[in-house]
Every structure is written in structure tokens, then in C-alpha cells.
Amino acid sequence: MPRFAPIPPESLTPDQRAIHDHIDSVYNTASGSSPPFTMKDHTGALLGPFPMMIHAPFFGTAWFDHIMTVSSHPALEPRARELAILAVGAHYHCPYELYAHKRVALLPALGMSQTQVTDASEGKVPDGLSPAEQVAYEFAMEMLNSKGPVAKPHYDHAVALLGKESVLILMQLVGVYSFVCLMLNGAATEVPE
């Protein structure tokens, strides 16, 4: 039994329905009518981290909108972004996050190989990355594994390859997806069949 069960649209309160419809609309705009991972069940109820947002409508859509803003910011290239997200999922051993973002990373537009995606999702730097992609993955892992500030040489190297704005977006991305993974793991969110 899910800790925060998906709620079919016809059973939502008006506040919950507003959040459901907002998430659904934004995702349809971002990924079209067929996202690379299952985000709804057979009743139309949202899956993944979304039931937690719907069960707590007092959060509104702020958390979701922040995630979407950071994860679509053009300062970070799509491959670097997905590599960083996979680093976060690997760090937290988060089944749903890895399920969803391995599928995103394998989209033809990103051109990542199955081996690269598997390595990244297991916490290993994949072969065949550009220098910028490699530093994005390594910097994300450094953030996740540091018990304090990221070492200055690692930060300086990331800024030299990515630029300061992109490193800031990368830091935000690691932060928001860490929050997502913690929520998903706390809720023991299952991967869809």
C-alpha cells in the first residue's frame, strides 16, 4: 500500500484538482502527450512525487514550479542536466527518480548510450562524455559526497568549463533533486509496473 496513494482526478478536492491540473498541463507542454516515463496510472492519477504535492495542497505548486524552472534553465546543457540528476538518484538510491530519469537520458535527442546511463545511475563517471558533461557529473557527486564546502579546485574547474551561471544552476539542480529523492524515499514511492 503506497504511503501517499495516487488520487484519481474524480476524487480530488478543488484545491487538489488545481494542483493536479497545473502539473498535468506543465508536463504536457514540456514533454508532449507521451512523456518517456509513466506519470499517471490507469485512473489518470499522477504518480511519482506528485501524489505528495496533491496530499499537501497547502504547498500549492511552488515546489513543482521551482523544480521545472531549475531543470529547464538553458544555462545547463540537457545532457549535463540529466547526468547531474542521475548522480543525485545514484547517491540517494532513489528507485523512482532513477526509473524516470534513465528514460529521459535515453531519449534520442540526448544521444546517451545505455552504458553511459547505467554507469551514471550507479554512481560511476561514464566514458565518452564531453569535458563539460564530465565536470557536471563530478561536481554533482562532489556536492553530494562532501561533508562541507566543495573544494575550491573542484569549484574553479567547474566554473572554468561551465561558467559561473551554469555552476549555480547545477548547484540548484542538485539541491532540488536531492529534495525530490528524499521525498520519494520517505514515501517509499514505487516504480510503475
Side-chain angles (χ1 to χ4, degrees):
M1 181 74 175
R3 294 177 183 171
F4 295 93
I7 306 172
E10 66 273 6
S11 300
L12 297 169
T13 67
D15 287 345
Q16 291 172 326
R17 185 62 191 232
I19 294 166
H20 174 279
D21 290 351
H22 177 73
I23 292 168
D24 195 33
S25 172
V26 170
Y27 255 101
N28 282 337
T29 300
S31 63
S33 58
S34 56
F37 57 91
T38 303
M39 63 175 285
K40 292 182 188 177
D41 69 11
H42 67 283
T43 70
L46 293 170
L47 302 173
F50 309 121
M52 289 174 275
M53 297 177 196
I54 291 170
H55 278 276
F58 54 86
F59 282 126
T61 59
W63 178 40
F64 172 76
D65 289 342
H66 182 62
I67 293 166
M68 293 304 292
T69 298
V70 171
S71 63
S72 63
H73 197 285
L76 198 59
E77 293 294 323
R79 281 175 55 114
R81 178 176 55 238
E82 285 307 318
L83 285 160
I85 294 169
L86 290 172
V88 176
H91 177 79
Y92 288 105
H93 303 281
C94 185
Y96 188 90
E97 195 265 0
L98 288 169
Y99 152 76
H101 285 277
K102 284 198 280 189
R103 281 157 181 74
V104 173
L106 287 170
L107 288 171
L110 294 182
M112 292 177 67
S113 72
Q114 180 67 56
T115 301
Q116 288 174 318
V117 172
T118 298
D119 285 349
S121 65
E122 292 175 354
K124 297 181 268 186
V125 179
D127 290 330
L129 301 180
S130 72
E133 293 163 357
Q134 182 169 336
V135 80
Y137 187 83
E138 290 174 342
F139 189 84
M141 291 303 283
E142 177 77 12
M143 282 184 67
L144 293 159
N145 292 314
S146 293
K147 298 293 184 197
V150 170
K152 186 176 185 322
H154 295 154
Y155 172 79
D156 290 345
H157 183 60
V159 169
L161 285 175
L162 299 173
K164 195 168 187 175
E165 181 184 13
S166 294
V167 171
L168 178 58
I169 297 302
L170 177 59
M171 291 168 22
Q172 289 278 330
L173 191 70
V174 171
V176 297
Y177 275 92
S178 290
F179 185 78
V180 169
C181 285
L182 289 169
M183 295 293 287
L184 288 165
N185 282 346
T189 303
E190 296 177 357
V191 172
E193 294 287 333

